[in-house]
Amino acid sequence: MSQVDSALVETLLTALGNAYAPYSSHPVAAVMECPDGQQFAGCNVEVAHYKGLCAEASAISAMATAGQRELAKVYVMGPGEHLCTPCGDCRQRIREFATPDTQILVLSREGEVLKTYTMETLLPDAFGPEQLPAR
Ligand SMILES: [Zn+2]
């Protein structure tokens, strides 16, 4: 299995440590990497009414806030050794900014790549911006 670089692991572990997950006790970290190499981290942020924000959504918000609109790579790190794949809502959110070449990598806490997806394998035949009339 391959390993991501130590700076990225550090970024993910910091985000994981900052996750606010008092209800699920399931902290998650994500990093969105854009084609120019810029990276945006996020963690899950839960709230008492249970409509919290996923790590992927948090990182995508940071990316969009910086004016970025395309994903080259998505990194997701969960709390354990299980595959912490993006939820259905986040798959659609990633799809919004993905290309056919975007890679979604699910990592262990040590930065080991447990599994790599393309958008097509993560969310086959997905609905996307192309299905809507041109604006
Ligand atoms: Zn999600």
Side-chain angles (χ1 to χ4, degrees):
M1 282 193 203
S2 63
Q3 181 87 18
V4 299
D5 72 74
S6 58
L8 176 59
V9 173
E10 190 72 23
T11 298
L12 283 158
L13 286 173
T14 298
L16 198 66
N18 289 333
Y20 181 72
Y23 307 107
S24 71
S25 298
H26 191 270
V28 180
V31 164
M32 302 295 141
E33 186 175 290
C34 299
D36 66 2
Q38 268 198 285
Q39 294 179 335
F40 300 90
C43 64
N44 53 334
V45 181
E46 297 177 350
V47 288
H49 74 329
Y50 292 113
K51 293 181 182 173
L53 190 65
C54 291
E56 297 90 330
S58 174
I60 286 173
S61 292
M63 178 198 88
T65 301
Q68 296 278 2
R69 296 291 185 268
E70 190 177 317
L71 286 169
K73 290 184 177 173
V74 174
Y75 302 94
V76 182
M77 180 185 283
E81 294 305 314
H82 65 284
L83 266 184
C84 187
T85 53
C87 75
D89 189 43
C90 286
R91 291 176 193 216
Q92 188 67 51
R93 200 178 303 274
I94 292 166
R95 167 67 181 84
E96 185 72 22
F97 301 102
T99 72
D101 297 326
T102 301
Q103 291 187 315
I104 299 96
L105 299 97
V106 180
L107 309 176
S108 73
R109 285 180 66 117
E110 290 74 40
E112 200 178 11
V113 179
L114 299 175
K115 195 159 181 179
T116 302
Y117 301 86
T118 62
M119 202 63 244
E120 187 58 29
T121 57
L122 192 67
L123 190 65
D125 302 321
F127 181 84
E130 305 79 27
Q131 276 81 45
L132 294 172
R135 286 156 278 143

